[in-house]
Amino acid sequence: MKVLLLNGSPHTEGCTNRALQEIIKELHKEGIETELMQVGIHTIRGCKGCGMCRKNKLGKCIFGDDPVNVAIAKMEECDGLIVGSPVHYAGAAGDITSFLDRMFYASKGFPYKPGAAIVSCRRAGSTAALEQLNKYFMMNNMPLVPSAYWNMVHGNTPEEVEQDKEGLMVMRTVGRNMAWMLKSIEAGKAAGLTLPPDEGKIRTNFIRKIEPEQKNFAPYFTSYNKVNKAYQDED
């Protein structure tokens, strides 16, 4: 069994890495292989919504000049995924956000492979960033790996993270729980337990064609766009 870990920080030896290393140690104790990819050191394109990954049924992003497709290929062989990011403006770092957007959209996700997100921050904004990252798993049938508290560490340097004893305990718990979930899934497969049936996605848009008997409010809305000369500077 193997877990892929993504470090979304531009600092390869920073606070996020310190948290991920605590998880890696626990996974190795449990006999789980790991591979750490440094995502934050690259310039990652955002998704352009071109749809070529779906149209051509590529199973990968049409942009091949960054490691997104490498991670997709690795996840075909890995059994679990852990994503780490620093907190930037109460959200995940920009590069890891762009990375995950394309990784999940082009690959259609990694159903029934456990996922966990961890964040590092100096002081605040961590729960918002954690919620953002967890949604990638929740939208793709990936079981969330729990811990003993929010999956975060605090500190401005790795040395300060060392002082966050509770945060490091939470990271170790993530590692042990990931290993337990992977082993439980493996045991279930060995016992003949199959995955839940997939009925296929149903996509429903909220915008509907206006029926003839419905009132068209467009004239009322366009009136708000008219310029009121009373608020304009004189030439």
Side-chain angles (χ1 to χ4, degrees), residues 16-192:
T16 305
N17 176 71
R18 178 62 190 89
L20 290 172
Q21 291 299 330
E22 198 73 8
I23 297 173
I24 289 172
K25 285 190 292 185
E26 291 302 314
L27 288 171
H28 288 174
K29 287 179 184 179
E30 297 291 334
I32 307 296
E33 294 182 54
T34 62
E35 181 170 352
L36 177 61
M37 284 186 65
Q38 300 289 349
V39 172
I41 60 175
H42 300 280
T43 299
I44 307 297
R45 293 172 181 260
C47 178
K48 303 302 182 185
C50 68
M52 296 305 293
C53 57
R54 300 290 177 89
K55 182 178 179 180
N56 294 336
K57 299 181 179 179
L58 298 174
K60 60 182 180 180
C61 183
I62 196 171
F63 296 131
D65 54 356
D66 57 36
V68 170
N69 289 333
V70 175
I72 291 174
K74 289 182 182 296
M75 277 305 298
E76 293 178 1
E77 306 296 328
C78 288
D79 304 286
L81 176 65
I82 296 177
V83 178
S85 175
V87 174
H88 292 171
Y89 291 95
D95 282 333
I96 192 64
T97 298
S98 295
F99 192 96
L100 294 176
D101 282 352
R102 289 169 48 215
M103 180 182 178
F104 275 88
Y105 190 77
S107 67
K108 299 184 181 181
F110 313 101
Y112 305 108
K113 294 186 177 185
I118 67 100
V119 297
S120 64
C121 70
R122 182 190 67 83
R123 186 172 179 84
S126 49
T127 53
L130 189 61
E131 180 183 8
Q132 173 192 342
L133 293 173
N134 279 337
K135 287 174 181 175
Y136 289 98
F137 311 129
M138 296 171 67
M139 292 174 63
N140 289 279
N141 278 321
M142 296 177 68
L144 284 179
V145 179
S147 189
Y149 197 64
W150 304 116
N151 296 354
M152 63 186 69
V153 294
H154 289 80
N156 205 36
T157 65
E159 292 73 26
E160 290 181 0
V161 172
E162 293 289 347
Q163 301 177 52
D164 185 5
K165 301 303 182 183
E166 182 176 5
L168 292 177
M169 174 273 294
V170 169
M171 296 302 113
R172 291 191 294 272
T173 306
V174 170
R176 289 191 296 269
N177 286 347
M178 171 64 86
W180 175 77
M181 289 182 72
L182 292 177
K183 292 177 181 179
S184 297
I185 291 172
E186 192 70 17
K189 291 179 180 178

Side-chain angles (χ1 to χ4, degrees), residues 179-209:
W180 175 77
M181 289 182 72
L182 292 177
K183 292 177 181 179
S184 297
I185 291 172
E186 192 70 17
K189 291 179 180 178
L193 184 64
T194 59
L195 294 175
D198 181 11
E199 67 172 281
K201 284 192 175 182
I202 299 175
R203 299 173 67 88
T204 303
N205 297 333
F206 291 109
I207 305 300
R208 293 287 183 268
K209 181 180 178 182

